[in-house]
């Protein structure tokens, strides 16, 4: 189990972000301790990874919630789609870098 602080550090997000995701029902903690602290398990960690991939693609939080809340949501398919989108983005950035290099040489 991970605390909010531990999970936020691992994922590169703020604790406030995790609290917000909990408040909107996007990422619920695995359990809440007697002290009121949120604790996240491995399943939550994997769900957060999916959320962050969608955020990287500029998908709004309410849309992410709809996508991930569908009964037919397939994690493997989602990862394959993320990979394809990131490869497109990488190719676009490579072309932009080549254009900048060509302009510098000119």
């Amino acid at each position: 189990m991970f605390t909010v602080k531990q999970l936020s550090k691992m994922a590169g997000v703020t604790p406030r972000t995790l609290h917000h995701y909990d408040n909107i029902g996007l990422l619920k903690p695995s359990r809440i301790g007697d002290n009121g602290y949120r604790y996240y398990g491995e399943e939550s960690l994997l769900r957060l990874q999916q959320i962050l991939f969608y955020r990287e693609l500029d998908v709004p939080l309410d849309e992410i919630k709809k996508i991930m809340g569908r009964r037919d949501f397939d994690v493997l398919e989602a990862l394959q789609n993320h990979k394809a989108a990131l490869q497109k983005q990488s190719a676009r950035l490579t072309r932009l870098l080549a254009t900048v290099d060509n302009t510098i040489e000119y």
Side-chain angles (χ1 to χ4, degrees):
M1 288 290 196
F2 306 101
T3 63
V4 168
K5 185 176 179 179
Q6 291 168 326
L7 184 60
S8 68
K9 190 172 185 175
M10 286 183 350
V13 298
T14 65
R16 184 174 178 169
T17 296
L18 295 178
H19 289 160
H20 179 64
Y21 289 174
D22 180 15
N23 289 337
I24 64 172
L26 186 58
L27 181 69
K28 290 293 188 183
S30 300
R31 72 178 185 86
I32 298 178
D34 294 337
N35 55 6
Y37 286 12
R38 296 168 172 96
Y39 295 96
Y40 296 88
E42 187 175 316
E43 188 175 313
S44 298
L45 180 62
L46 295 173
R47 184 170 173 86
L48 177 59
Q49 181 185 48
Q50 287 296 314
I51 294 166
L52 296 178
F53 283 143
Y54 281 116
R55 291 300 295 144
E56 186 65 31
L57 297 171
D58 293 325
V59 178
L61 292 176
D62 60 334
E63 187 65 25
I64 295 170
K65 187 174 176 184
K66 288 177 192 173
I67 292 169
M68 293 182 68
R70 291 191 328 237
R71 289 181 187 210
D72 64 342
F73 179 72
D74 182 337
V75 174
L76 183 57
E77 181 182 345
L79 286 170
Q80 291 167 337
N81 291 337
H82 293 319
K83 182 179 179 181
L86 290 169
Q87 286 171 327
K88 278 185 179 180
Q89 192 175 27
S90 175
R92 185 181 68 80
L93 291 173
T94 298
R95 287 191 306 275
L96 284 171
L97 285 168
T99 301
V100 169
D101 285 341
N102 290 337
T103 304
I104 290 170
E105 287 179 22
Y106 179 75

